[in-house]
Amino acid sequence: MRNKVVVKPQISLVTQYGIEYAVHVITDHFGNLVSKVCECLLRRGPLTRSNLKRYTELSDSQIKNCLLVLIQHNCVQAFAVEQTGGFGEAPRFVTQYLALFNNIVHRMRFSKFMKIVSQEFDGECLDLLEGLFEHGRLTLKQMFDRAKSAEKEGKPVTLDYVQEILLKLMTACYVERCPAPEPVLAPKDEAPAKKRGPKEIEEPKTIEQEVLEAAVPVEAIRFSMLNPDVDGEKKDIKPSSMTAREKRKYDALESDEFGATATVVYRANFEEFVRCLRHKACVDYVRSRLDDGAATVLSAMLDATRNEETEVKAKRSASLSLSSIYEEVIKTEAGRNMTLEHLRASLAELGTPPLVKASDDSYNIEFEKIIELAQIEEMESIVLKRYGQDAYRIFRLLSREGRLMETEKIADVTFVEKKETPKILYKLWKDDYLHMEKLVLAAARQTQFMLWKVKKENLWKHILDEMFHATLNLRQRLAYELDQEKELLKLPADKRTGALNNRNIRLNKIRKILQSSQMKLDDSIMLFYDF
């Protein structure tokens, strides 16, 4: 008889300061009323409109309008849950609303996302994407009207031209069709079972994962667009081979609780942008750890396997042969100087530790390993800056060993003075950087040993909370500085002379420093939370 395998639920990485940060973003962008509804959903989880009304003490119309704003900007997703009726009654569906923490935080990354697109496409694509970031969701007609309003003399804007731009962004997966407005979650006993291998263990999904999976259109529809036919009517590119379940998803796209029309609506695909930033982080880590040659090879492999990735947090890439890698490498300017011998040497470098794993003449990128090593180095850097060289050596030893170690053994290995080692360990433990266990040996005289270990999951959540706290402080400081100089900012630029000009220069310096610090801190947040 096979033993039952119990899967521990994943630790949620949405921390208290993370929620406060998300609420601050919504308050800054949409005001106190909308943020009150959003905060209620973030703290309490999915709620019905009646429960939102009860907890927020807002009117029904206020709740509805706030939800409309949050849904329009992809910060909330509605979904329906089937509830069994009483005796002789049909089951009924109850609509609930779920706050999307990730999408809220992504609002502060629009400049990063724009930079990614600017490296691939022209200014017209950037203008269309900027409209999606500004308005959340747009129809093709709204995109056309927006482009028409910014039309330059001698460069007329046509519907075909806007469609062409949209098609470019959808082909690159930077823009997608909006999800179903109100997907229905299948009851647990009726949910389609997934095939699993004999050793594969499926982790339990969160309610957010279930809702988003139910809402997202099937791949063939998600990145398709409407085509005008000869009569001027719009028809969809709808594959004839869709399953019954996929057709239900497709039909759900044409309905809306709030009475929207059947016009297809588009939005930015945050998943693709996060995937691009994850790839960039992997390449940057390899370049800093090894050399430019290894980074060039890894970048080429990422380009070759990008379309094969089915999720943002993929553990490894698709397999590539040596010839396929070389073919991709020589497409780049940096890779044209590389020979096959140079490529093999770079792959050997990447194989220790296995950042790229070789198996039967094929190679896979080990994303999970690269990200893990990058996270450990970031943590070690934080400990070094905050606690000094001795604490850094102790933390580095424990994080790499991954097991419980006794105080004296730690002092011997790290060459830290034995009197100082317990003090450092206690300080790191007190600040939640280490896990401690006491071991008592029963003998004639009881002996007590202190054992220490780095528990990465708990530590990562603690560090994330500190990072969200720090970035919240940066945003609040910037808001304070701008509020102090609000009268100055109202003045035209030509009126800011003398002492006013000096104040303006000071404000611009402070703004630049705070915004730059926030962007760097956000890179670390993405490393621990998104990647």
Side-chain angles (χ1 to χ4, degrees):
M1 183 177 177
R2 186 179 297 173
N3 292 330
K4 185 178 179 181
V5 179
V6 179
V7 181
K8 294 181 181 179
Q10 289 182 319
I11 295 176
S12 173
L13 292 178
V14 180
T15 67
Q16 288 304 308
Y17 277 114
I19 291 174
E20 287 188 31
Y21 173 65
V23 171
H24 190 274
V25 170
I26 294 297
T27 305
D28 189 34
H29 291 186
F30 305 114
N32 293 325
L33 203 64
V34 176
S35 72
K36 188 173 185 179
V37 173
C38 188
E39 182 175 10
C40 187
L41 291 173
L42 284 168
R43 295 195 183 279
R44 294 181 178 271
L47 293 172
T48 61
R49 274 170 61 174
S50 59
N51 280 336
L52 272 171
K53 183 179 178 181
R54 180 159 62 93
Y55 291 133
T56 61
E57 299 181 350
L58 298 176
S59 68
D60 192 60
S61 62
Q62 286 176 319
I63 295 290
K64 179 179 176 180
N65 290 332
C66 290
L67 287 172
L68 281 170
V69 169
L70 291 167
I71 291 171
Q72 172 69 27
H73 290 274
N74 310 300
C75 299
V76 162
Q77 173 67 52
F79 66 99
V81 178
E82 184 178 345
Q83 292 186 349
T84 55
F87 181 74
E89 295 181 355
R92 64 192 185 95
F93 296 91
V94 177
T95 301
Q96 296 186 21
Y97 299 89
L98 173 73
L100 304 177
F101 175 83
N102 292 2
N103 287 6
I104 296 170
V105 175
H106 287 330
R107 296 188 61 80
M108 300 310 301
R109 297 169 179 155
F110 287 166
S111 60
K112 292 182 180 180
F113 299 163
M114 292 286 284
K115 187 176 180 181
I116 291 170
V117 174
S118 69
Q119 293 169 351
E120 290 187 46
F121 299 109
D122 53 23
E124 286 77 7
C125 289
L126 287 174
D127 290 340
L128 189 148
L129 190 64
E130 186 179 12
L132 290 173
F133 286 152
E134 181 181 349
H135 300 286
R137 303 177 176 200
L138 292 173
T139 63
L140 181 61
K141 182 180 183 304
Q142 288 170 329
M143 294 179 203
F144 173 69
D145 292 341
R146 188 175 181 276
K148 197 75 176 172
S149 65
E151 186 179 48
K152 295 179 182 178
E153 189 175 347
K155 196 174 181 180
V157 174
T158 63
L159 180 60
D160 287 342
Y161 179 67
V162 176
Q163 277 187 307
E164 183 183 341
I165 296 170
L166 178 60
L167 185 59
K168 283 182 185 178
L169 291 170
M170 294 192 77
T171 303
C173 298
Y174 292 131
V175 172
E176 63 179 354
R177 287 177 60 159
C178 286
E182 191 181 319
V184 178
L185 289 191
K188 296 294 182 182
D189 54 344
E190 295 180 18
K194 291 188 176 181
K195 294 181 179 179
R196 291 178 287 174
K199 293 184 179 179
E200 187 179 346
I201 301 174
E202 188 177 6
E203 293 181 348
K205 292 179 181 176
T206 64
I207 183 67
E208 182 175 350
Q209 288 172 325
E210 290 183 2
V211 169
L212 293 180
E213 284 184 13
V216 69
V218 290
E219 202 73 9
I221 297 172
R222 184 180 179 184
F223 300 107
S224 72
M225 60 181 293
L226 296 176
N227 287 341
D229 65 13
V230 290
D231 297 321
E233 295 180 3
K234 295 174 182 176
K235 60 181 180 180
D236 196 14
I237 305 171
K238 181 176 179 180
S240 58
S241 59
M242 287 195 295
T243 64
R245 184 166 177 265
E246 289 172 341
K247 285 178 181 177
R248 285 198 300 272
K249 272 193 173 186
Y250 178 87
D251 294 337
L253 288 169
E254 309 302 328
S255 65
D256 189 347
E257 180 198 8
F258 294 99
T261 65
T263 306
V264 174
V265 187
Y266 303 91
R267 69 175 188 178
N269 178 20
F270 294 147
E271 281 187 8
E272 188 62 27
F273 290 113
V274 172
R275 182 182 288 111
C276 289
L277 291 173
R278 188 181 193 232
H279 288 180
K280 181 180 179 299
C282 289
V283 173
D284 290 345
Y285 174 75
V286 166
R287 180 175 283 110
S288 65
R289 182 186 177 91
L290 299 176
D291 54 32
D292 289 339
T296 299
V297 171
L298 186 75
S299 180
M301 292 180 71
L302 289 168
D303 290 339
T305 59
R306 175 178 170 181
N307 294 332
E308 302 295 324
E309 291 181 41
T310 57
E311 56 181 331
V312 174
K313 293 187 178 182
K315 293 184 177 181
R316 60 186 58 84
S317 71
S319 299
L320 286 173
S321 65
L322 183 67
S323 58
S324 298
I325 298 171
Y326 188 66
E327 184 181 344
E328 196 68 34
V329 165
I330 60 177
K331 290 180 182 178
T332 64
E333 186 176 349
R336 293 190 189 106
N337 297 325
M338 296 184 73
T339 63
L340 270 173
E341 184 179 353
H342 192 175
L343 173 61
R344 288 193 185 95
S346 293
L347 287 170
E349 276 188 302
L350 288 164
T352 311
L355 308 181
V356 170
K357 194 173 183 179
S359 176
D360 298 329
D361 298 324
S362 64
Y363 299 86
N364 304 79
I365 301 170
E366 296 293 318
F367 288 118
E368 198 171 39
K369 188 64 177 177
I370 297 173
I371 296 300
E372 181 188 1
L373 291 174
Q375 288 172 338
I376 290 171
E377 286 198 8
E378 180 70 16
M379 272 303 314
E380 291 171 354
S381 173
I382 292 171
V383 171
L384 177 62
K385 292 174 183 175
R386 188 172 295 183
Y387 301 100
Q389 187 69 37
D390 288 344
Y392 163 75
R393 290 206 297 268
I394 289 172
F395 182 85
R396 181 182 172 86
L397 170 68
L398 292 172
S399 67
R400 310 237 166 184
E401 287 292 327
R403 59 185 175 87
L404 288 164
M405 292 187 71
E406 196 267 325
T407 307
E408 192 170 331
K409 179 69 174 176
I410 293 170
D412 291 339
V413 175
T414 58
F415 300 105
V416 176
E417 288 188 20
K418 292 190 177 182
K419 288 183 179 180
E420 293 298 318
T421 301
K423 297 177 184 177
I424 295 170
L425 287 166
Y426 181 76
K427 176 64 176 171
L428 290 170
W429 169 75
K430 189 178 177 182
D431 291 347
D432 295 324
Y433 280 73
L434 294 180
H435 169 72
M436 177 184 70
E437 290 184 15
K438 294 179 182 180
L439 178 63
V440 179
L441 297 181
R445 293 177 59 189
Q446 285 193 345
T447 307
Q448 179 175 283
F449 293 94
M450 307 299 286
L451 304 177
W452 311 86
K453 180 184 178 181
V454 172
K455 277 197 170 181
K456 289 178 183 175
E457 281 190 336
N458 295 334
L459 178 58
W460 275 201
K461 184 171 182 178
H462 171 69
I463 289 301
L464 264 174
D465 201 41
E466 288 189 342
M467 288 179 178
F468 279 124
H469 190 188
T471 196
L472 175 63
N473 286 341
L474 289 172
R475 282 187 59 79
Q476 289 174 334
R477 174 62 188 275
L478 179 58
Y480 170 79
E481 293 290 344
L482 293 175
D483 185 64
Q484 291 294 301
E485 299 290 359
K486 58 186 177 184
E487 298 300 327
L488 173 68
L489 294 172
K490 289 178 183 178
L491 295 174
D494 58 343
K495 298 290 184 181
R496 301 174 192 174
T497 58
L500 292 177
N501 185 50
N502 292 336
R503 284 168 56 190
N504 189 53
I505 292 171
R506 174 190 171 277
L507 180 62
N508 287 335
K509 284 182 179 178
I510 290 174
R511 184 189 309 199
K512 186 176 180 180
I513 291 170
L514 292 175
Q515 288 177 341
S516 175
S517 299
Q518 190 179 334
M519 286 296 103
K520 288 178 182 177
L521 191 54
D522 185 65
D523 290 341
S524 297
I525 289 174
M526 293 195 78
L527 177 63
F528 286 92
Y529 183 85
D530 297 276
F531 299 162

